[in-house]
Amino acid sequence: MTNITLSMGDITDQTVDAVVNAANSSLLGGGGVDGAIHRGGGPEILQECRTLRASRYEDGLPAGQAAATTAGRLPARWVVHTVGPVWSDSEDRSETLASCYRESLRVADELGARTVAFPAISTGVYRWPLEDAARIALSAVRDAKTTVVTEARFVLFGREAYDAFATAWDALREER
Ligand code: APR
């Protein structure tokens, strides 16, 4: 069972076994969390991302899937890269967003990671509304079956994101 915790801060400061990156399919970097992780972790991460692109993910990492690299100089052992869906008004992509969390936990389990830090995937450049993203994220992690991971720490970047997750978490617990 995974214990869920919420904290406010920068994901690159977290001392955990694995940090989850809100990447894009190219795996070659970007802004937001992705930019911060590559800046903080250094060039070794990009090097392993290039290796992933040259082998298993020649066409890029599809949305909803996850793949691991070293965490380089970050205070973590691994980065689990996952690709969130871009928010759409006309199509329900919630299952893909939930899959990012499930697949990241599955990869973390395979690595032997006990503690995993998650950002609020898709809520930045990909424009997913925070309240809805929080509900999907928290229920996906709550319902995921893990064998090794014991802590999933949501690291929210600022008060607005933290409050959205805290409210969604209260609502989910009241449902039970
Ligand atoms: N630590 C924790 N959270 C952060 C950090 C950080 N250092 N920096 C940004 N965030 C928050 C944002 O405020 C947002 O709530 O992470 C959430 C996700 O935002 P993005 O990083 O923009 O990720 P996403 O919406 O999934 O978009 C992915 O952005 O940078 C590109 O390469 C990336 O193309 C991909 C896209």
Side-chain angles (χ1 to χ4, degrees), residues 10 14 19 86 89 117 122 138 142 159:
D10 184 331
Q14 305 298 309
V19 166
V86 177
D89 284 325
S122 289
L138 289 162
R142 179 196 59 187
R159 171 61 58 187

Side-chain angles (χ1 to χ4, degrees), residues 4-145:
I4 293 179
T5 58
L6 307 183
S7 78
M8 194 160 46
D10 184 331
I11 203 160
T12 63
D13 294 336
Q14 305 298 309
T15 303
V16 283
D17 295 321
V19 166
V20 175
N21 182 19
N24 60 63
S25 289
S26 82
L27 291 178
L28 300 179
V33 178
D34 201 6
I37 284 177
H38 282 280
R39 269 195 310 278
E44 248 189 291
I45 299 178
L46 187 57
Q47 210 174 316
E48 289 195 15
C49 284
R50 289 212 169 96
T51 305
L52 284 172
R53 283 300 308 276
S55 52
R56 193 162 165 195
Y57 299 107
E58 269 193 319
D59 298 325
L61 181 66
Q65 295 190 26
T69 65
T70 174
R73 296 192 296 259
L74 293 177
R77 289 182 67 187
W78 300 282
V79 173
V80 176
H81 305 264
T82 188
V83 180
V86 177
W87 165 257
S88 165
D89 284 325
S90 54
E91 191 187 14
D92 182 4
R93 300 177 177 167
S94 309
E95 250 318 295
T96 309
L97 183 56
S99 172
C100 289
Y101 290 94
R102 282 195 297 267
E103 287 298 301
S104 297
L105 286 172
R106 191 180 59 73
V107 169
D109 248 0
E110 276 174 16
L111 291 166
R114 279 192 296 239
T115 52
V116 181
F118 281 102
I121 299 163
S122 289
T123 64
V125 175
Y126 287 174
R127 304 186 322 274
W128 203 293
L130 263 173
E131 284 70 20
D132 197 51
R135 180 184 56 76
I136 294 164
L138 289 162
S139 45
V141 173
R142 179 196 59 187
D143 297 341
K145 303 269 175 286

